[in-house]
Amino acid sequence: MDHFIIDTIDFQVTQLDLFIRLLVACGIGLLLGLEREHSALIKKEHIFAGIRTFVLLALMGFTGAALHFLLSPWVFVVIILAVLTLTGISYWITSIKGDIGSTSELAALLTLLLGALSFLGYIEISLMITVIVLVILSAKVQLMNVIGRITQEEIYALVRFVIIALLIYPFLPDENYGPYDVINPSEIGLVVILTSGVGFLGYVLMRVLGANKGVLLTGIIGGLVSSTMVTWVFSKKSKEQSTLNALYTSAILAACTIMVVRVFLWVFLFNKSLLAGLMVPLSILLLTAAGATIYFYIKDKKTNGKEESMPLGKPLELTNAMWFGVLYVAILLVISYANDYLGNEGIYITTGIAGLSDVDAITISISKMSAVSISVITAQNAILLATLANTAAKFAIALWASSKEMRKHVMVGYGLIFVAALVAFGVLNV
């Protein structure tokens, strides 16, 4: 039986656990104090708390939490008030000198609380918070650079997204309406948020990392926004710079690879039961597209000295997201009709046509309906068919818009993907 060094009605802890928690508290204080003192040395500034003080603050929080159980809850309250008073005096003195920043003072208070959390046994939470705080403290210069580059349009885009996600979406009714009972406002709102959020994430990544950090990276990140846009941009560029044809092909195929990843994501979010059968077929497509991407990137590696970029576009395409929601509802209704009157053949025709313009909407629609009115194997085949149709559409765009030399690369890359698709269909229906 374990021997409890602290054994009260509300709290019990063994000597070994107490020792481990004490080490964690000291480590938290050491890390945060090290960062603060190192930052002060670089800036040649004086701060009220360095390594030793931060370790002591963590120990004060640890001891205060212990005394809360052993003596009285008021002991911890007194310790918090004392630390608040000391940090308040420190802030008052530094603000008089013109330094109105309060980062170190707030970090000190947080260290006290993290020490208390460590004593209570919430080690994982304490360490996660410590990592977040360290990243925030050490990334001041980078954060200021990023903030300095933010435009007013981007701020408005973020505000609009937050309003839609947190103020509008939660109040949408989660009930089914309309023909075939498939129109659900809450689900439509979720689709709009997810699709616009993916595009917004792609924009942020391109904005932070740079839209000219290399053709391949642009294709990968741009695939989050629109793989069709990536195909169009780099196909047109091939007529301007023929020496980068293989590299442009790798960017297009990289965006196609990300498109398959998006299909994985939507199926996982809207109907996980379809993943069991789609895992191998979609993996075949994913690995083939990724392999073709790497092949053409390596092929052109020696000539990849010129940086290229693609247009960023708008940070938040809410109009497109709304139209996407309309398309999603239309596909639900059409597929429901096709299922009633035409059977599986009608579903395949519908998904094939819809997939030419957008694979996301059809994937989400099929995933949702497979749990209601479509068999699992039919839904899986329909999603593969939509993916293949969307790939064929980008293939046609690339053939039409690219240079004569690049078309050879495109035919090889997409040829491999189409062969992989046939294999995928065979695996799914074996």
Side-chain angles (χ1 to χ4, degrees), residues 112-289:
L112 177 78
L113 298 177
L114 289 173
L117 276 178
S118 299
F119 171 81
L120 295 173
Y122 298 106
I123 295 177
E124 293 85 357
I125 296 176
S126 300
L127 293 177
M128 284 190 292
I129 294 175
T130 301
V131 171
I132 294 172
V133 173
L134 280 173
V135 171
I136 293 174
L137 292 177
S138 60
K140 179 180 179 180
V141 176
Q142 291 85 346
L143 287 173
M144 290 180 66
N145 289 335
V146 170
I147 293 172
R149 299 202 307 266
I150 294 177
T151 65
Q152 190 175 40
E153 181 185 13
E154 291 164 350
I155 291 292
Y156 287 156
L158 177 61
V159 171
R160 288 197 299 270
F161 183 77
V162 170
I163 290 174
I164 292 174
L166 301 181
L167 294 182
I168 297 178
Y169 168 69
F171 298 99
L172 294 176
D174 188 12
E175 298 180 8
N176 294 327
Y177 302 97
Y180 301 102
D181 212 31
V182 295
I183 301 176
N184 186 303
S186 181
E187 290 182 355
I188 296 171
L190 179 61
V191 168
V192 171
I193 290 173
L194 288 174
T195 52
S196 61
V198 169
F200 192 43
L201 175 62
Y203 178 92
V204 170
L205 289 175
M206 293 182 69
R207 188 74 164 84
V208 173
L209 299 176
N212 60 342
K213 290 295 184 181
V215 174
L216 182 61
L217 180 61
T218 303
I220 293 172
I221 300 175
L224 287 174
V225 182
S226 172
S227 55
T228 303
M229 178 179 68
V230 173
T231 302
W232 171 259
V233 169
F234 286 119
S235 294
K236 295 294 287 184
K237 279 182 174 291
S238 68
K239 294 182 179 179
E240 303 170 7
Q241 182 57 266
S242 59
T243 59
L244 297 176
N245 284 327
L247 196 57
Y248 293 151
T249 304
S250 71
I252 291 172
L253 294 175
C256 185
T257 304
I258 298 301
M259 182 265 292
V260 180
V261 174
R262 295 206 315 264
V263 173
F264 264 117
L265 175 64
W266 300 139
V267 174
F268 175 78
L269 290 176
F270 288 90
N271 194 343
K272 295 179 184 178
S273 64
L274 296 178
L275 275 181
L278 285 175
M279 185 63 70
V280 174
L282 284 179
S283 296
I284 292 173
L285 283 176
L286 180 66
L287 293 175
T288 303

Side-chain angles (χ1 to χ4, degrees), residues 309-325:
S309 64
M310 64 181 295
L312 280 171
K314 294 181 179 180
L316 187 64
E317 293 284 0
L318 276 181
T319 302
N320 290 343
M322 295 297 182
W323 278 113
F324 185 93

Side-chain angles (χ1 to χ4, degrees), residues 102-117:
S102 57
T103 304
S104 295
E105 287 80 4
L106 292 175
L109 293 173
L110 193 55
T111 303
L112 177 78
L113 298 177
L114 289 173
L117 276 178

